Amino acid sequence: MTLTLRIWRQPGPDAPGRMTPYRVPGVSPDMSFLEVLDTLNERLAQDGEEPVAFDNDCREGICGACGVVIDGQAHGPERTTACQLHMRHFEDGATIDVEPWRAGAFPVVRDLVVDRSALDRVIGAGGYVTAPTGSAPDAHAVPVPKPAADTAFDNAECIGCGACVAACPNGSAMLFTAAKVVHLNALPQGEPERESRVLDMVGRMDDEGFGGCTNTGECATACPKGIPLASIATMNREYLRAARRRPGR
Amino acid sequence: MSTDGTGFRVGEPLTDSAAPDGPIAERWRRRRFEAKLVSPANRRRHTVIVVGTGLAGGAAGATLAEQGYRVVQFCFQDSPRRAHSVAAQGGINAAKDYRNDGDSVQRLFYDTVKGGDFRSRESNVYRLAEVSVEIIDQCVAQGVPFAREYGGLLDTRSFGGVQVARTFYARGQTGQQLLLGAYQALSRQIAAGRVEMHPRTEMLDLIVVDGRARGIVARDLVTGRVDAYFADAVVLASGGYGNVFHLSTNAKNSNATAVWRAHRRGAYFANPCFTQIHPTCIPRSGAHQSKLTLMSESLRNDGRIWVPRRAGDGRAPGEIPEEERDYYLERLYPAFGNMVPRDIASRAAKNVCDEGRGVGPGGQGVYLDFADALARLGRDAVAERYGNLFEMYERITAEDPYGVPMRIYPAIHYTMGGLWVDYDLQTTVPGLFAIGEANFSDHGANRLGASALMQGLADGYFVLPATLGDYLARGAAAGALGEVGHDHPAVHEAVFAVTDRLYALLSNNGDRTPESFHRELGALLWDACGMSRTEGGLRRARERILELHAGFWERVRVPGGGEQLNQSLEQANRVADYFELADLMCRDALHREESCGGHFREESRTPEGEAQRDDERFGYVAAWEFTGPGVPPVLHREQLAFAYVHPTQRSYQ
């Protein structure tokens, strides 16, 4: 296959960026989208040009490092990560637009790389169970009903890639935050911090400059791990419950 | 010091001076009791650098900070949550005996020593088995969503090389869930100001002052700024070096630079040739391939491995009748069948493919067939156990494993070698500790399934936090941990060495990309030092590696500048270290004239063709000392003693 990639090139955070077209021949349908970028970069480097910067690491769809908007969709047309998106889903001769995540809370670092550290700070605000090491009770001391364990797991699968933020017209991180709140609040281990967790995480999310949620649902459509939209409703319920019980926080 | 004549010198034997003696079940308790403590009020006066945020590093950073130390932590990813531990699929072992199937600390210890082909230390492995129980408790308390039964209790499954079900798991994403547990604990400490986190920052050298590790030199990958960071102790949790092979199951950016630069500063490198080859990876599909993807070993619980009986049988799998299939693992190893350990399963797959019975493009594959399991359990039950793995397989290969058997082939997965550490996890440089895959200590020559996660978390949550305090307390008491600053000559020297090398890479006016060198080196190493090794092959590979290394510094070309995000520069800098490491791996493989775990020397095999160990001559850890570029390294042997598990020929028949 031969493709034309129109890629967002931006040398640095404050430099202007623009879409730049590149012709990439020799694309195999078995390649992942990132392997196409590798192929292009190898040629650019060979010619002494600067390769396209993009984040990637595990290439197994689990680390959450990769993330580009492909033809207007976060991670492209299939519901997966860019590293697991294979070229058999594209037509020979196609022109494909490749852009970074665009959101107020995710400043561009270079080309397709953005700074997602705001998500780490949302976790730091309460996305954990305060469990000191070394003296935990026996794991069987607290049984967890299977439905609760399954709900927790379904939400714990979030890889923190930021596709939900990129897909949201408001640049909201509600799905990301909800995934962690629902994961931990579903478990008995998360119960003692149930209220402070949701209040602090939502507060932090707002402080980081993520937009509000207007129930568009694009986030859940783009999520490569299938975090359900219903998690946002659950988080809203948790938030109202906590706010009622702990007014003034 | 004597000369051996094969490209290295033999130095003084090495002993683990921190290892306690006495009954093995008492040793860890005694070591902890005898360790000097740092009082809570004094801990905040100590700074500890932790490099890496995977299971070992994340757990260590969170725990040390919680104990009250000031932690300065680094990772090259944009977030500590992305460390490669996140990709581990199958599970984590623990001797809980929740299944009442006869498991115990003793049995986990036994399985691990035997599985490691008697090249690990008994004391370390016993401690690992003991601590495994606490790890599960710790992770459950953190909210890690392990698989559960309907009654609310934890579910377990079985893994290769063992006959009990001691593996705890979270669907096929156990590593992700354990890592997120550690990351969340670490995030809490970062938010509290007790961990100073430097993401997108890569360690490029170790600072050694008066013989002690006192800091690192690191480069901010976004601004290019190279700076020195100081501490009372340095912990390397920087993972393994499997990416030296170019194609492996490692994340693209996993690399050997942190441990290699520490090795150049005096830390011995142990057993570099012990590389684990994982039997169940998706076969490569073409030359474009950037990495290999692993399918969890747990699939072998329900999948049956076979190839056609006849070489060159080109029929579709469904058209090959039962009697014309060879379920070769079940045939050769009836007691363990498809669950034999990784090295045995990998070699058996290579053998049938070498006989021309491999399947798929290029004949480099064997079938992993779920037809029996689907008939026995039904599609829903299979999907519940392995659904995400099946989806992943289909996404990559465009084949539906519910309908046709998966194709798998072995690939480089985990490195058992690493920096030599004593029982306290301290390297030969005082104050420099290595934990998780970055050290060599617990797995021996081969790693059983679900034991890497166990070791990473054991080191990070439990072992290091106990032994590091002893070092700090003794060092502070001896007045050896005074101030070190930017004006120290050793710091100048290290910073200069780093910037000089970066400049050399950027200013080289060559014509080849770093990637092209990495590919060539990787292919060379896979052929000569991969699934099987011969003396001739290793000797030829060493010559070629030296040529390629010289060619690298003549011909490499790195576009762009140093004061910006420059991924080509990062890669070139890492590949430069791979040449030196690859050479040491080949030397180590060459000198070890026995077959052992993942190290299969074709000259050393039993009449049945299995690996033949030589305990008499090689029952030791090979710890290599760096003595200068181009100078033969020095081999220090640490003799291993087995008082509790008597070495026997490993047999799984």
Side-chain angles (χ1 to χ4, degrees), chain B residues 558-599:
Chain B
V558 179
E563 288 167 0
Q564 59 180 48
L565 184 67
N566 186 338
Q567 293 165 333
S568 299
L569 178 62
E570 291 167 31
Q571 189 189 15
N573 207 12
R574 293 165 188 165
V575 172
D577 290 329
Y578 285 148
F579 288 109
E580 297 181 3
L581 171 62
D583 184 44
L584 188 67
M585 289 168 76
C586 290
R587 273 187 214 265
D588 187 44
L590 195 53
H591 108 281
R592 191 170 279 277
E593 294 167 337
E594 64 161 353
S595 291
C596 194
H599 167 64

Side-chain angles (χ1 to χ4, degrees), chain B residues 77-101:
Chain B
Q77 296 92 346
D78 71 319
S79 162
R81 71 179 294 144
R82 309 206 199 282
H84 185 53
S85 306
V86 79
Q89 295 169 355
I92 178 167
N93 288 334
K96 282 285 203 183
D97 196 30
Y98 283 161
R99 289 272 169 200
N100 192 27
D101 56 5

Side-chain angles (χ1 to χ4, degrees), chain B residues 160-207:
Chain B
V162 299
Q163 291 168 309
V164 292
R166 64 160 72 100
T167 306
F168 294 78
Y169 66 100
R171 291 189 198 153
Q173 287 136 272
T174 315
Q176 181 201 21
Q177 293 310 315
L178 296 175
L179 180 76
L180 292 182
Y183 154 78
Q184 286 164 200
L186 183 65
S187 299
R188 175 175 151 239
Q189 300 298 334
I190 295 168
R194 290 190 286 260
V195 173
E196 178 186 307
M197 184 68 221
H198 296 265
R200 291 198 198 272
T201 309
E202 183 167 25
M203 167 178 166
L204 295 180
D205 210 345
L206 179 73
I207 294 170

Side-chain angles (χ1 to χ4, degrees), chain B residues 50-60 76-77 83-88 128 179 235-245 248-251 253-260 268-278 291 294 342 411-421 425 427 433-448 451-461 464 578 581 585:
Chain B
V50 180
V51 179
T53 58
L55 286 179
F76 61 70
Q77 296 92 346
H84 185 53
S85 306
V86 79
L128 180 65
L179 180 76
V235 180
L236 298 189
S238 51
Y241 50 86
N243 262 337
V244 64
F245 288 92
S248 80
T249 65
N250 285 265
N253 297 306
S254 297
N255 68 88
T257 287
V259 290
W260 190 255
Y268 293 1
F269 206 117
N271 295 339
C273 82
F274 286 167
T275 306
Q276 180 171 77
I277 293 156
H278 198 292
K291 73 155 281 165
L294 181 129
R342 295 176 173 184
I412 296 292
H413 182 50
Y414 189 94
T415 47
M416 273 83 59
L419 294 185
W420 184 90
V421 289
L425 306 180
T427 69
F433 294 77
I435 61 177
E437 196 179 351
N439 74 26
F440 88 101
S441 62
D442 292 4
H443 301 306
N446 174 54
R447 184 171 75 68
L448 292 180
S451 64
L453 306 189
M454 179 171 63
Q455 190 218 339
L457 289 180
D459 287 1
Y461 279 134
L464 179 87
Y578 285 148
L581 171 62
M585 289 168 76

Side-chain angles (χ1 to χ4, degrees), chain A residues 5 31-37 70 82 85 87 90 96 98:
Chain A
L5 299 184
M31 280 183 180
S32 73
F33 199 86
L34 300 190
E35 284 167 345
V36 177
L37 291 179
I70 299 167
L85 173 66
M87 300 316 290
F90 293 86
I96 303 169
V98 192

